[in-house]
Amino acid sequence: MHIMVIPSWYSSPRNKVHGSFFKEQFKALANSGEKITVAYNEIWPITLFGKIKEKRKINFSIEENLRTYRYKDFNYFPKNPLMFKSFNKRMDELYKEIIKKEGKVDLIHAHSAMWGGIAASYISKKYNIPLVITEHSSLKYAKYLKDSYRKYIYEAYKECDILVAVGNGLKKELNEYADRDIEVIHNMVDLSLFDKERNSIKENDKFIFFSCAFLEEGKGMELLIESFKEAFFNKNVLLRIGGDGSRKVFLEELAKNIGIEKQVIFLGALSREEVAEEMKKCDAFALPSEHETFGVVYIEALACGKPVIGAKNGGAEDIINNQNGIIIEKNNLNELINALKYIKYNYKIYNEDNIRKMTIRNYSGELLVNKLKGVYKKANEEHFE
């Protein structure tokens, strides 16, 4: 089967890890015998006009063995619904180039309605091709979602043959917008990077908590730092935080102001390989974010056999249980203090081998690829029935 995959965001020279989870899924599907072609509308913000020297319009390259077609250009209609017509036109040109060079497309799989799924719905309808949309994002927490965009998103949800959510919390939200059946298939995680058997030797005898996220509002980092101070001030415990974002300076100042700057280490933006190394070095992982549609970093920590702390944020509930960690109420300082202390002082009750085996059983690439192939078969049947 020739599948044209359409990511709503993807890697670029300005963000090399963007959409890495999409790419891992695409590679796994290709390795399973499916023919995969990536079609990506690479949208440049108009604020970068004159600063980008790359070739505009259609570009082709082979990226990590994936045949990848990109339409590179600026968003000439920012915050204007006219941009959807522009994006649809670009996707039409990509589609025509792909069938010319790669042959007939049997199915389209778009990731997130905004922006890829909307354009995918246009192509599906125009050329009568089965369409699967996997939603990764919450509309409730989308920073750039204008009310005028919603009708295009809802239409894409309605028109696709199969709608997939990456978690049960997100499925519940999508049911508010789409009166239809919704499948749940979790994100794919390359577990080979997060191998407990290759755990790094710890640099010292300190107990290490690791956390990693975009350092933005809602990720729970302020709560984590304050809870960590209450639990372990001047104790032989470290908190290492990976990630960058608009709140990084604020969080660094917070750690300094409450006197724990020597115990809280900010690592900056990390590559996937660097995240894996930090996971292996740590004793436990903590991320009390207020909202997650899935929570890939929890899976990565568990794949290394580490216990995790998360909050009831919509994604963590699918992943965390009393065998592999602790889940707290959102924004609850006392619960987080107690969870941190419990993990630190009862660490040995968590069985690393069992945590890893359970994670591989539930989130392996083979399992998820088989689920996707079942969805593709169902989409074809429903489209042409």
Side-chain angles (χ1 to χ4, degrees):
M1 181 183 288
H2 182 196
I3 304 164
M4 184 172 79
V5 291
I6 302 177
S8 288
W9 55 91
Y10 210 52
S11 59
S12 73
R14 287 159 297 285
N15 192 333
K16 294 182 179 179
V17 299
H18 211 40
S20 57
F21 306 120
F22 299 156
K23 186 175 285 186
E24 287 171 8
Q25 184 181 115
F26 303 161
K27 287 161 62 178
L29 283 165
N31 291 337
S32 78
E34 303 292 354
K35 180 176 180 180
I36 301 297
T37 304
V38 181
Y40 178 46
N41 180 21
E42 186 173 322
I43 305 162
W44 298 338
I46 202 74
T47 52
L48 294 180
F49 197 85
K51 299 177 183 178
I52 296 178
K53 307 302 179 185
E54 299 168 50
K55 177 188 169 188
R56 292 172 55 243
K57 300 200 173 178
I58 294 178
N59 292 249
F60 169 76
S61 61
I62 298 176
E63 303 175 14
E64 299 183 47
N65 294 322
L66 292 169
R67 299 182 70 80
T68 305
Y69 292 79
R70 296 170 180 254
Y71 195 110
K72 300 184 177 186
D73 210 340
F74 295 95
N75 181 6
Y76 296 103
F77 307 100
K79 301 180 181 179
N80 186 321
L82 281 175
M83 67 184 168
F84 293 110
K85 290 186 177 179
S86 170
F87 296 169
N88 289 348
K89 183 179 178 182
R90 294 179 193 184
M91 191 56 65
D92 203 353
E93 290 189 39
L94 277 173
Y95 170 76
K96 288 174 182 175
E97 182 72 7
I98 286 169
I99 59 170
K100 177 181 174 184
K101 298 289 178 63
E102 308 294 338
K104 177 178 176 287
V105 170
D106 299 304
L107 182 138
I108 301 170
H109 187 176
H111 290 267
S112 280
M114 199 169 79
W115 316 102
I118 295 170
S121 182
Y122 171 79
I123 299 299
S124 169
K125 191 182 298 184
K126 183 173 181 179
Y127 297 103
N128 194 29
I129 304 169
L131 171 63
V132 175
I133 295 179
T134 294
E135 188 53 83
H136 299 255
S137 302
S138 164
L139 301 189
K140 289 181 180 178
Y141 298 92
K143 289 176 65 176
Y144 304 108
L145 176 66
K146 294 171 68 71
D147 284 341
S148 59
Y149 302 167
R150 287 182 176 272
K151 66 178 180 180
Y152 301 98
I153 295 170
Y154 297 162
E155 188 70 15
Y157 290 160
K158 178 183 174 183
E159 294 294 332
C160 66
D161 296 288
I162 304 285
L163 179 59
V164 178
V166 295
N168 282 295
L170 182 58
K171 175 182 176 178
K172 185 177 179 181
E173 180 191 327
L174 291 181
N175 278 134
E176 298 175 18
Y177 320 126
D179 182 19
R180 58 170 301 162
D181 290 337
I182 299 173
E183 306 268 350
V184 174
I185 301 180
H186 297 308
N187 276 326
M188 168 134 183
V189 184
D190 183 1
L191 298 180
S192 64
L193 279 175
F194 300 87
D195 185 351
K196 181 239 174 197
E197 297 304 318
R198 298 184 299 158
N199 277 2
S200 303
I201 298 172
K202 288 184 64 172
E203 297 170 0
N204 52 52
D205 62 350
K206 295 180 185 292
F207 192 96
I208 299 174
F209 284 95
F210 176 53
S211 190
C212 188
F214 292 114
L215 302 185
E216 303 292 347
E217 196 77 44
K219 284 298 180 180
M221 286 298 176
E222 181 177 351
L223 184 74
L224 179 59
I225 291 169
E226 291 172 346
S227 300
F228 182 83
K229 189 255 183 177
E230 294 299 322
F232 305 119
F233 182 64
N234 277 343
K235 294 206 166 63
N236 203 28
V237 186
L238 296 178
L239 172 59
R240 294 171 66 84
I241 298 175
D244 204 351
S246 63
R247 290 181 65 79
K248 183 169 181 280
V249 173
F250 168 80
L251 294 169
E252 288 173 330
E253 287 297 315
L254 172 63
K256 183 177 180 180
N257 290 339
I258 62 178
I260 58 167
E261 69 272 21
K262 291 182 180 179
Q263 288 178 261
V264 180
I265 296 95
F266 290 88
L267 305 168
L270 302 175
S271 68
R272 298 297 308 293
E273 291 75 16
E274 288 169 332
V275 170
E277 284 303 307
E278 290 295 328
M279 293 290 191
K280 295 167 192 175
K281 289 178 185 177
C282 76
D283 296 289
F285 180 83
L287 181 63
S289 51
E290 295 173 24
H291 178 75
E292 298 286 343
T293 56
F294 177 51
V296 167
V297 284
Y298 299 133
I299 304 297
E300 293 171 342
L302 294 172
C304 293
K306 311 298 181 173
V308 300
I309 298 172
K312 293 179 181 176
N313 52 31
E317 294 94 322
D318 283 355
I319 299 167
I320 302 172
N321 55 57
N322 56 15
Q323 276 82 46
N324 62 23
I326 299 173
I327 190 162
I328 67 165
E329 295 293 336
K330 288 193 291 186
N331 299 314
N332 193 308
L333 181 72
N334 288 331
E335 282 196 21
L336 185 51
I337 292 168
N338 291 335
L340 290 166
K341 286 181 177 179
Y342 185 88
I343 293 285
K344 163 67 173 70
Y345 297 115
N346 298 277
Y347 175 77
K348 292 186 178 179
I349 72 170
Y350 294 98
N351 187 304
E352 290 191 15
D353 288 333
N354 287 346
I355 289 174
R356 176 165 170 76
K357 286 175 184 175
M358 184 168 34
T359 305
I360 292 171
R361 185 168 66 246
N362 293 332
Y363 301 102
S364 70
E366 183 180 357
L367 174 68
L368 296 179
V369 164
N370 287 338
K371 287 183 178 179
L372 285 172
K373 289 189 176 189
V375 162
Y376 296 158
K377 181 181 178 183
K378 184 178 177 183
N380 260 306
E381 291 171 352
E382 295 193 1
H383 187 85
F384 293 116
E385 71 178 7

